[in-house]
Amino acid sequence: MDKEKYILDGSKVLWHQDRIRDWNFGKGKVAPITIDCALTTKCSYRCVYCYGKMQCINQSDNMDRKTIFDFLDDAAEIGVRGISFVSDGESTCNPNLKDAILHGYQNGLSMALGTNGYLLKDEELEEILPCLTYLRFNISAGEAGRYACIHGCTESCYHKVIKTIRRAVEIRNKKKLSVTIGMQMVLMPDFQDQILPLTKLGKELRVDYLVIKHCSDDEEGTLGVDYSKYDSMVEILREAEGYSTQEYQVSAKWSKILSHGKKTYGKCFGAPFILQMSGTGLVAPCGMFFNEKYSKYHIGNIKETRFKDLWNSDRYWEVMRMLASEEFDPNTECGTLCLQHKTNEVLWDIYMKQEIPEPTGRKPDHLNFI
């Protein structure tokens, strides 16, 4: 099979040469290629590995319709290419989710959704699937009992989610839609007994892929992830990848799983290219900075100020340049293996060599989600 059908352990930023040139090795201003955001901080689950629970953010009301639509209008206007509803809240808790997906798509934005799937309405799938580049189910167990334990829910939630995944695949196939339907496992060392059951489940459900990723921890190790324990899982992860076929890709995020949480770059250049926003409306460079103790990196809130105005503000670029300066060390001042990690590796290499390489290979899918 073509193992690069979906790039699940890398960055697609090199395919956006115009944005890299405008970036000018950290000297220029660029609109984000991708924005990961949530429409709420509420969640229907209590996953044991949740980074959001460490943010000490009061649960906010669901984002209102006008704020969401204004944000999507602004994103399209300034040149954002992809919006993924994936962040510190479960966006299916917001009743405006369906209309938000449709509105963003109508604006010409590539739209995507990551969800636990429990509150995703099966009757809305036919409307949203044609508007999505990908629909990703966050699921870290292939057995009902372990699912309930890991995700902090009941076993009935597992059965509902499996039903919804089946329905989504059925609709996609019947209507011959281009949307990719995948599953993502957050792998903590204690979950390795679920690697093969989940791999087999994904194949039986006929999803396009299963990606098995590391668990991110903060700089203080609050979740207690022992990254050295991933080394002992190589054999079982290779076995899981052996279930891949032309129609079903199983990929472990090897570069992060085996990195022991270490970084090879000395500056954060990725945030202007792939921005994260909280379900509170907070605009910050990345999800690891949503906590109030990182307020020096907070830019503003879209509930109070239009996103395009925040992006054009001196404050936005003051924060971005701070992350790219000598006063910020990503190895000590932020959490491990963040969303921007792989893009940071690429941009750091460009910065060090002062040259922009051309991308190689075929153009990947999901190009606007770097």
Side-chain angles (χ1 to χ4, degrees):
M1 64 170 290
D2 180 1
K3 290 187 177 296
E4 289 301 308
K5 182 176 183 181
Y6 305 114
I7 296 179
L8 301 172
D9 184 22
S11 173
K12 296 183 278 287
V13 71
L14 280 180
W15 291 93
H16 298 269
Q17 295 274 308
D18 58 335
R19 207 58 57 96
I20 297 175
R21 287 192 295 270
D22 291 343
W23 169 66
N24 192 24
F25 307 103
K27 303 182 187 71
K29 297 180 180 181
V30 293
I33 298 167
T34 308
I35 297 179
D36 269 20
C37 56
L39 302 181
T40 184
T41 54
K42 298 176 182 178
C43 189
S44 48
Y45 284 9
R46 293 292 179 268
C47 303
V48 299
Y49 54 75
C50 181
Y51 200 96
K53 70 184 179 184
M54 300 188 291
Q55 300 289 21
C56 300
I57 295 174
N58 293 325
Q59 286 213 343
S60 65
D61 293 332
N62 286 327
M63 198 97 60
D64 66 275
R65 183 185 180 91
K66 183 180 186 306
T67 298
I68 296 168
F69 278 33
D70 284 350
F71 160 67
L72 293 168
D73 292 344
D74 289 350
E77 181 180 328
I78 70 171
V80 176
R81 293 170 178 168
I83 300 286
S84 49
F85 290 134
V86 182
S87 188
D88 59 344
E90 173 55 54
S91 288
T92 56
C93 292
N94 190 319
N96 295 298
L97 173 63
K98 182 194 76 172
D99 290 342
I101 292 171
L102 270 58
H103 188 77
Y105 180 77
Q106 290 162 2
N107 272 353
L109 294 162
S110 296
M111 301 298 297
L113 173 63
T115 174
N116 60 39
Y118 179 63
L119 293 179
L120 192 60
K121 298 177 181 178
D122 289 11
E123 62 269 23
E124 293 183 348
L125 289 172
E126 294 208 27
E127 290 183 81
I128 67 172
L129 286 173
C131 301
L132 292 173
T133 298
Y134 73 79
L135 171 59
R136 189 189 75 210
F137 291 89
N138 301 319
I139 175 171
S140 294
E143 298 169 335
R146 289 288 280 139
Y147 180 95
C149 179
I150 291 168
H151 289 291
C153 61
T154 65
E155 291 189 17
S156 63
C157 296
Y158 169 85
H159 297 295
K160 190 276 174 186
V161 169
I162 297 307
K163 175 177 174 289
T164 297
I165 296 174
R166 288 189 195 278
R167 181 60 180 150
V169 172
E170 177 185 300
I171 293 170
R172 190 274 309 274
N173 292 346
K174 180 179 179 181
K175 293 182 174 291
K176 295 182 171 56
L177 302 175
S178 62
V179 59
T180 297
I181 299 174
M183 302 187 341
Q184 175 175 274
M185 178 186 196
V186 175
L187 176 63
M188 293 187 80
D190 291 344
F191 304 169
Q192 61 179 305
D193 65 301
Q194 290 303 297
I195 293 173
L196 292 181
L198 186 57
T199 298
K200 295 172 184 177
L201 177 64
K203 190 166 189 175
E204 190 265 324
L205 291 172
R206 297 189 299 156
V207 297
D208 296 299
Y209 70 82
L210 167 67
V211 59
I212 303 169
K213 62 168 286 187
H214 62 292
C215 179
S216 293
D217 208 342
D218 65 10
E219 68 272 29
E220 297 170 357
T222 302
L223 289 176
V225 182
D226 184 349
Y227 289 101
S228 67
K229 290 186 176 180
Y230 285 125
D231 295 345
S232 65
M233 300 182 205
V234 171
E235 184 176 342
I236 192 170
L237 287 170
R238 293 292 187 199
E239 183 178 350
E241 289 188 327
Y243 282 83
S244 296
T245 66
Q246 289 290 338
E247 292 76 34
Y248 177 51
Q249 178 176 331
V250 181
S251 293
K253 287 196 173 186
W254 290 109
S255 70
K256 291 186 176 183
I257 287 173
L258 299 180
S259 72
H260 294 175
K262 304 301 181 183
K263 302 169 185 172
T264 59
Y265 44 89
K267 299 176 187 289
C268 177
F269 290 133
F273 291 83
I274 179 167
L275 183 73
Q276 287 178 277
M277 291 169 42
S278 169
T280 64
L282 172 69
V283 178
C286 75
M288 292 183 173
F289 288 152
F290 291 163
N291 193 305
E292 186 58 33
K293 68 181 179 180
Y294 301 113
S295 60
K296 69 177 181 178
Y297 303 117
H298 293 177
I299 295 163
N301 194 300
I302 62 170
K303 291 181 178 178
E304 301 163 0
T305 308
R306 291 284 295 249
F307 177 71
K308 63 182 177 182
D309 294 328
L310 290 174
W311 178 76
N312 275 310
S313 69
D314 292 339
R315 173 62 180 166
Y316 186 100
W317 293 105
E318 173 190 344
V319 170
M320 294 301 175
R321 286 173 180 143
M322 189 189 312
L323 298 181
S325 72
E326 296 299 326
E327 63 183 275
F328 179 79
D329 183 356
N331 287 287
T332 59
E333 298 185 55
C334 58
T336 59
L337 306 177
C338 63
L339 178 70
Q340 294 83 0
H341 179 74
K342 299 304 293 184
T343 295
N344 269 328
E345 289 182 338
V346 175
L347 295 173
W348 177 253
D349 190 58
I350 290 172
Y351 172 74
M352 294 300 288
K353 295 177 180 176
Q354 291 291 295
E355 60 182 31
I356 306 170
E358 292 288 332
T360 58
R362 72 168 185 84
K363 185 179 290 188
D365 292 342
H366 308 166
L367 199 62
N368 292 332
F369 301 95
I370 62 171

